[in-house]
Amino acid sequence: MTGQMVYGSGLRTGDGANANAFHVPSHTVYNVSINHVVPIEVSHKLLFGFDVINLLDQTYAYNQGSGIGFGVTHYGMPRSFFFRTAYTF
């Protein structure tokens, strides 16, 4: 089992004379992963994995759409679950 904590201090933002005068609020995201390896033969293995991204389901904006760009606020990924399989030989 592994885990990861990602901290974002907040992207600078602002328009015109106030460019870079403000910043997006900081955020922390927690991710966890668990793996299981099943040996099949001498050099063959089957891997099963399960990942949870944004474990606490925190909503955060990492870009408020000001400055150069499309003018659209971008949000981080919501809580997501991923299953993985891999076969190595």
Side-chain angles (χ1 to χ4, degrees):
M1 182 169 194
T2 61
Q4 178 185 47
M5 180 191 81
V6 180
Y7 173 77
S9 62
L11 181 67
R12 291 282 195 183
T13 186
D15 287 326
N18 292 327
N20 294 329
F22 308 104
H23 63 86
V24 178
S26 63
H27 60 276
T28 305
V29 178
Y30 299 93
N31 304 322
V32 293
S33 178
I34 189 166
N35 298 313
H36 183 70
V37 178
V38 178
I40 298 175
E41 293 177 8
V42 175
S43 63
H44 298 259
K45 297 177 187 173
L46 187 61
L47 173 100
F48 296 101
F50 177 67
D51 304 318
V52 181
I53 306 300
N54 196 359
L55 182 67
L56 302 178
D57 198 22
Q58 298 195 358
T59 303
Y60 61 94
Y62 62 86
N63 180 1
Q64 291 195 346
S66 62
I68 299 172
F70 296 110
V72 178
T73 301
H74 297 95
Y75 290 91
M77 179 184 274
R79 182 185 302 138
S80 302
F81 303 97
F82 298 94
F83 294 96
R84 297 176 283 116
T85 59
Y87 179 76
T88 61
F89 51 95

